Amino acid sequence: MAKPFSFKVLATDGKARRGVIDMPRGEIRTPAFMPVGTGGTVKAMYMDQVRGVGADIILGNTYHLMLRPGAERVARLGGLHEFARWPHPILTDSGGFQVMSLSKLRKLTEKGVTFRSHIDGAAYEMSPERSIEIQGLLDSDIQMQLDECTALPAEMKEIERAMELSLRWAERCKTAFGDQPGKAMFGIVQGGDNAALRMRSAQALSAMELKGYAVGGLAVGEPQAVMLEMLDITCPELPDNKPRYLMGVGTPDDILKSVARGIDMFDCVMPTRAGRHGLAYTRRGKVNLRNARHADDPRPLDEESDCPAARDYSRAYLHHLVRSQEALGAMLLTWNNLSYYQKLMQDIRAAIEVGTFQARGAEITEGWARGDISLL
């Protein structure tokens, strides 16, 4: 019998929560940041590096994996964990966001969405049931309902229509998921930037008694203040004993402010994408290694970091790699960025445990504000 999926809040500090998700493939310490492994790989990283920086869970993308190499093929090859050599928990998104944002000639109905691949134009159908089927073929541990994510700004009638459709799809996903010991399906709160719609969505999903809840449809173009306002409204409507996942967020500052409002899980392409484009996240804020100021600088990114990429390589060398478009530059800066994000989560968890989250958050923010080291 598989170990059941469980979530326990171990400590609180204000609304911030320190917890743990326990499931057969391992524990997830929360608040948690999930590196994005869109197509079965965290770009520019080896999986043992991803684990080494402290990640307990990664994210895989249903849309991309269904197109290439195909969910049925992954299943024949032992599932995504075996395929990618990541034996720890994996969360898969439903594919809905990518269908809405990437696919060509999509058509949305009550049944689901038909669309053409952004790769080769081939036609596909995605229903709530098919999304759950694909995620099952991938053998992911946490599966997301299919939803419709509305870009902001949008008219209230459009936001409401998408939110209500997402609720009906959540019911169908719950039925399709059934009872899978040791695994979980999360619902997704929608409602755009409308407080009343967010509350209705959160309350309706809570009544479904799912194993976890995500907040979707944020970080899609709205100001940070709007995102935080929606979290202030949404989190109190979600069960205290279930994990809360803010999808696609975000910057280190977004994470600090969202943890303060009760969010437990995050994912974002930002640290990996930034690393591939010469941008490093550090305790002193963002550092652009493309800048000529680094060309003759023998100092490391951060002499106090535990990550070799930040501690053992000179800024001059990193600058050279980035400007020369060498693959190693993207690899080292991605390693640094994911290490920084995981260290941030570690700091957050430790501070919540001892009741110093607000003070520690202020220290971290002050470090960013002071900025990078001065020129030689």
Side-chain angles (χ1 to χ4, degrees), residues 307-326:
C307 177
R311 185 191 63 222
D312 298 343
Y313 293 85
S314 73
R315 289 166 179 249
Y317 184 57
L318 295 171
H319 170 79
H320 159 69
L321 294 175
V322 169
R323 293 300 294 266
S324 302
Q325 298 184 334
E326 290 286 350

Side-chain angles (χ1 to χ4, degrees), residues 16-183:
R17 295 138 50 103
R18 162 74 173 100
V20 62
I21 296 171
D22 196 17
M23 51 201 323
R25 287 191 170 101
E27 288 187 347
I28 304 162
R29 297 163 293 174
T30 65
F33 180 81
M34 299 180 284
V36 175
T38 300
T41 171
V42 178
K43 287 182 173 63
M45 293 283 285
Y46 296 110
M47 286 301 187
D48 54 356
Q49 285 179 306
V50 177
R51 185 64 171 177
V53 300
D56 295 332
I57 178 172
I58 62 171
L59 180 144
N61 184 269
T62 293
Y63 172 85
H64 288 284
L65 289 165
M66 73 175 281
L67 296 183
R68 191 169 53 191
E72 283 76 11
R73 176 172 289 160
V74 172
R76 290 195 300 270
L77 293 167
L80 191 55
H81 299 83
E82 178 70 20
F83 192 53
R85 295 190 66 252
W86 176 265
H88 317 291
I90 294 176
L91 179 147
T92 45
D93 64 13
S94 69
F97 179 80
Q98 286 74 25
V99 166
M100 306 304 168
S101 62
L102 293 179
S103 58
K104 303 171 184 175
L105 302 174
R106 64 184 181 274
K107 181 180 178 182
L108 190 71
T109 66
E110 186 70 32
K111 179 181 177 182
V113 58
T114 56
F115 63 95
R116 291 193 177 275
S117 163
H118 74 286
I119 298 171
D120 59 9
Y124 290 87
E125 292 185 8
M126 177 81 83
S127 65
E129 293 79 11
R130 177 57 176 160
S131 175
I132 294 299
E133 180 187 19
I134 292 169
Q135 294 179 75
L137 289 166
L138 297 174
D139 195 26
S140 64
D141 304 282
I142 300 176
Q143 302 174 19
M144 304 303 300
Q145 72 151 104
L146 184 66
D147 65 328
E148 183 185 354
C149 179
T150 306
L152 297 176
E155 295 291 330
M156 180 176 171
K157 284 186 177 180
E158 178 64 12
I159 296 172
E160 184 175 25
R161 181 202 59 75
M163 183 272 287
E164 294 288 359
L165 178 64
S166 295
L167 287 177
R168 295 192 294 274
W169 283 1
E171 290 277 14
R172 288 166 58 186
C173 285
K174 179 184 177 181
T175 299
F177 181 82
D179 181 20
Q180 298 186 36
K183 296 190 175 186

Side-chain angles (χ1 to χ4, degrees), residues 232-297:
D232 284 330
I233 291 161
T234 302
C235 287
E237 301 298 330
L238 297 174
D240 288 334
N241 63 341
K242 303 289 179 69
R244 303 167 185 157
Y245 162 31
L246 179 55
M247 303 183 76
V249 177
T251 67
D253 185 57
D254 288 337
I255 290 173
L256 272 180
K257 288 183 168 68
S258 300
V259 167
R261 287 160 170 80
I263 294 295
D264 306 300
M265 300 171 69
F266 302 87
D267 81 281
C268 190
V269 298
M270 204 166 287
T272 47
R273 181 176 289 166
R276 298 195 304 278
H277 291 87
L279 190 67
Y281 285 92
T282 79
R283 61 190 170 91
R284 302 182 181 105
K286 292 184 287 187
V287 178
N288 184 359
L289 272 302
R290 298 189 66 84
N291 196 310
R293 64 167 285 182
H294 304 291
D296 293 303
D297 196 333

